[in-house]
Amino acid sequence: MIIDRRSFVATGMLGYGAFAIPGFANAATVAGLRGFTHAVASGEPGADSVLLWTRYVPASGGEATLRVELSETPDFARIAGGGAQQTGPWRDHTAKITVAGLRAGQAYHYRFVAPDGSFSPVGRTKTLPDDGARTWRAAIFSCSNLGYGLFNAYAHAAAQDDFDCAIHLGDYFYEYAAGTYPTAKDTMAGREPLPRQEIVQLADYRLRYASYRADPDLQALHRRLPMIVQWDDHESANDSWEGGAENHDPATEGSWSARRDAAIQAYREWMPVSDEPWKAYDIGRLATLFRTETRLLARTQAPDIAPLFKQADPVAALKAFRDGAWMDPAATMMGSQQEYWLAQAMRTSVKSGKAWQVVGFGTIIGETVMPADAATWLGGSSDRARAYVSAGIAAAKAGLPFNFDNWGGYPAARARFLRSAQSLGGSTVVISGDSHNAWAYDLAQDGKPAAVEFAGQAVTSPGYEAGVGTDPKTVAASLVRANRELKWCDTSRRGYMAMTIAPDRVTNDWIMVDTIKQRGLGASIGHRATVIRRRNVMA
């Protein structure tokens, strides 16, 4: 029953990913691009401000000063705001300009102007609303693997008229070498990213962003909606934490600190995000949305139970771990500084009369164990999948989860967060990604309701269906029966979540796209869940 995440990469059950670059032949081609190379994007919306992003390379390949213009109309007849920035090779020719003095809840068109007078493509963005807003709607994404298929989820959201914002909860891209995840035979033709090797250096991370951001559906989403983004692990390396990562070998890949710093620098260059590690966004009186950081800055290393199965009495070893090291209060996802900030910021939100406190985490917080009958799912599954499921069943018998890389590996930290939420007397909603599957949880602490969690399915990365041979409905029903907090799940379909916040309720739709193998906008609502204010359980 010994299993490790690196050897399990091929099964698709743990959240790995990889590759593609539509329209780019090689690194030399990318390096030779000039002008506005990757359209535009926006993020960090406030009630009176927004951050605007582009990438521009002048003919000389050197520095350039860019201007940006905003207008309430697409013809730019009246300029409502703007700004300027110098950019160049030191920041991979990207530009991020925050424009203030805008109107709350207002849609704006924007464009960048190059030194030669040329214009970027036009984007559309929107500020956060004022206190008079009655609803606010966001499209929520995670786990986007170019190699596995088309970004139809991005395209579908971009085609809608009723979203105010997009949220990306991490795994915006994947760091693996071509042919790893997906394998060469599973990689969709024409969707391999650059560079082909695993990304380790700053130039590698920059090129991987350039590769992903060339996708037309991702560009369409960025051009249509402001995006609030946070990283998870694959923006650096699989199962990353403050001091390392499962997918980092210091002997062959050098210092983890250097790799982590390179990943952070490229992320801040290429994404429409501020340099603040965490942040709160006030959505009128409706809600405060909290962007968190749970990977690179303070997270302690996740537990690994694989060695316990090598001991003379694995059952006793699992129980000793459950009662000892697993409960270590020093184990943390966020670190004490961020924990304190989040608790105080949530308290401020409640006291100021915000109806909802919405917290974005990279990974699932809901308690999830492997069902005792999971062995019947496997059919023609691989030996790796069988070992993983067997280990999970054994862990469940000892009262342990099967995933220690999410909040399941940090029970004391989970308890601190949920008790803090309970103490506020507010209405807490957690949104999360990472797992590739869709989940809805009623979160409890000390036997009392604490929050609800809406966990989103992947844009393309495969879920349980890649590792088991059973009808997904059977798998889902078994998981719900085995987990008291879990109220619903879908373990086989891709897409995104659509969350609508109103004063008295939050409603979440899991939008399932018809396919990721052919381009199209076909999609349907796979499930809908609603939570009523102050109840902290789904209706």
Side-chain angles (χ1 to χ4, degrees):
M1 292 189 295
I2 299 170
I3 189 68
D4 65 86
R5 289 175 68 94
R6 183 183 289 271
S7 66
F8 198 58
V9 67
T11 69
M13 292 177 65
L14 291 177
Y16 293 78
F19 329 98
I21 181 160
F24 287 163
N26 53 51
T29 302
V30 177
L33 291 175
R34 294 294 184 264
F36 292 102
T37 65
H38 287 79
V40 295
S42 67
E44 299 295 341
D48 65 351
S49 64
V50 69
L51 181 153
L52 306 174
W53 179 98
T54 195
R55 183 173 188 268
Y56 176 82
V57 185
S60 66
E63 66 180 71
T65 296
L66 301 178
R67 294 187 296 109
V68 70
E69 300 174 338
L70 288 90
S71 175
E72 295 182 12
T73 59
D75 61 2
F76 290 85
R78 178 181 176 274
I79 303 302
Q85 183 183 6
Q86 292 183 355
T87 187
W90 61 87
R91 55 179 301 122
D92 206 15
H93 302 281
T94 61
K96 296 193 298 187
I97 301 173
T98 295
V99 180
L102 305 177
R103 293 201 297 154
Q106 176 65 46
Y108 288 93
H109 303 270
Y110 66 96
R111 64 188 180 187
F112 286 83
V113 186
D116 62 4
S118 61
F119 293 108
S120 71
V122 174
R124 179 186 179 275
T125 192
K126 191 174 185 180
T127 53
L128 296 181
D130 60 19
D131 290 351
R134 302 303 298 167
T135 61
W136 188 82
R137 185 165 167 84
I140 305 171
F141 305 91
S142 63
C143 305
S144 315
N145 188 319
L146 270 163
Y148 272 110
L150 296 161
F151 289 165
N152 287 337
Y154 290 154
H156 185 272
Q160 308 308 304
D161 292 326
D162 59 348
F163 287 120
D164 299 294
C165 187
I167 300 170
H168 206 294
L169 295 170
D171 297 344
Y172 184 91
F173 70 29
Y174 290 76
E175 83 278 16
Y176 294 104
T180 305
Y181 180 75
T183 62
K185 70 178 182 64
D186 290 331
T187 301
M188 190 172 184
R191 292 185 70 81
E192 288 187 358
L194 294 177
R196 290 187 55 80
Q197 75 271 16
E198 182 178 327
I199 56 175
V200 177
Q201 309 298 328
L202 177 58
D204 301 335
Y205 282 97
R206 285 170 164 174
L207 186 53
R208 189 60 58 90
Y209 277 109
S211 177
Y212 268 65
R213 290 290 291 275
D215 182 88
D217 297 320
L218 179 51
Q219 287 194 7
L221 180 67
H222 276 302
R223 288 179 62 178
R224 176 67 176 171
L225 294 170
M227 184 181 285
I228 295 172
V229 297
Q230 60 190 65
W231 62 55
D232 192 34
D233 54 342
H234 290 293
E235 287 90 346
S236 55
N238 182 60
D239 287 1
S240 50
W241 56 287
E242 182 183 13
E246 179 276 334
N247 193 29
H248 180 76
D249 182 358
T252 59
E253 296 175 325
S255 160
W256 168 248
S257 295
R259 183 176 184 178
R260 179 192 61 197
D261 291 350
I264 292 174
Q265 179 176 337
Y267 179 88
R268 288 175 173 169
E269 289 170 348
W270 276 85
M271 300 298 287
V273 66
S274 68
D275 291 348
E276 299 154 290
W278 48 78
K279 190 171 181 178
Y281 306 82
D282 287 329
I283 305 168
R285 293 183 61 83
L286 289 173
T288 305
L289 171 67
F290 300 93
R291 167 167 65 84
T292 66
E293 196 291 313
T294 56
R295 274 292 172 191
L296 300 179
L297 304 184
R299 179 199 270 244
T300 52
Q301 188 171 19
D304 179 10
I305 65 170
L308 303 182
F309 293 103
K310 298 179 181 180
Q311 297 192 19
D313 188 346
V315 173
L318 285 167
K319 290 180 179 178
F321 166 74
R322 176 199 65 199
D323 298 334
W326 185 52
M327 296 301 299
D328 184 357
T332 178
M333 288 280 243
M334 296 188 287
S336 60
Q337 180 184 356
Q338 187 181 181
E339 283 189 16
Y340 176 78
W341 166 82
L342 182 58
Q344 293 303 112
M346 290 178 67
R347 185 174 303 278
T348 298
S349 175
V350 173
K351 287 186 174 181
S352 67
K354 302 292 190 293
W356 299 92
Q357 292 69 51
V358 182
V359 184
F361 288 137
T363 60
I364 287 175
I365 194 170
E367 290 181 349
T368 320
V369 301
M370 189 71 74
D373 62 353
T376 64
W377 303 345
L378 296 170
S381 299
S382 68
D383 290 341
R384 294 187 183 95
R386 291 179 178 279
Y388 181 71
V389 169
S390 296
I393 292 172
K397 289 179 179 178
L400 293 166
F402 63 83
N403 188 347
F404 294 90
D405 181 61
N406 67 17
W407 286 83
Y410 306 81
R414 173 194 140 107
R416 288 194 297 270
F417 168 73
L418 292 178
R419 285 173 182 151
S420 174
Q422 286 173 326
S423 72
L424 302 178
S427 301
T428 302
V429 173
V430 171
I431 53 175
S432 59
D434 177 66
S435 76
H436 301 183
N437 295 124
W439 316 78
Y441 296 88
D442 283 339
L443 304 175
Q445 183 60 43
D446 304 321
K448 300 176 182 178
V452 301
E453 178 177 18
F454 304 138
Q457 71 275 38
V459 172
T460 57
S461 303
Y464 267 81
E465 80 286 353
V468 302
T470 300
D471 184 340
K473 291 185 175 62
T474 299
V475 174
S478 180
L479 284 162
V480 170
R481 284 195 303 269
N483 292 281
R484 59 185 178 182
E485 291 189 341
L486 181 61
K487 303 307 174 184
W488 170 85
C489 67
D490 182 290
T491 64
S492 65
R493 292 183 288 178
R494 310 281 78 82
Y496 67 102
M497 298 191 299
M499 179 180 67
T500 303
I501 302 175
D504 64 333
R505 68 192 59 216
V506 173
T507 301
N508 193 70
D509 294 334
W510 284 263
I511 307 295
M512 308 298 186
V513 297
D514 292 348
T515 181
I516 59 172
K517 298 305 181 184
Q518 297 178 345
R519 188 171 299 281
L521 297 180
S524 60
I525 298 175
H527 185 70
R528 173 172 290 170
T530 298
V531 55
I532 305 300
R533 189 182 181 202
R534 299 195 186 283
R535 294 186 183 177
N536 288 321
V537 294
M538 282 173 278

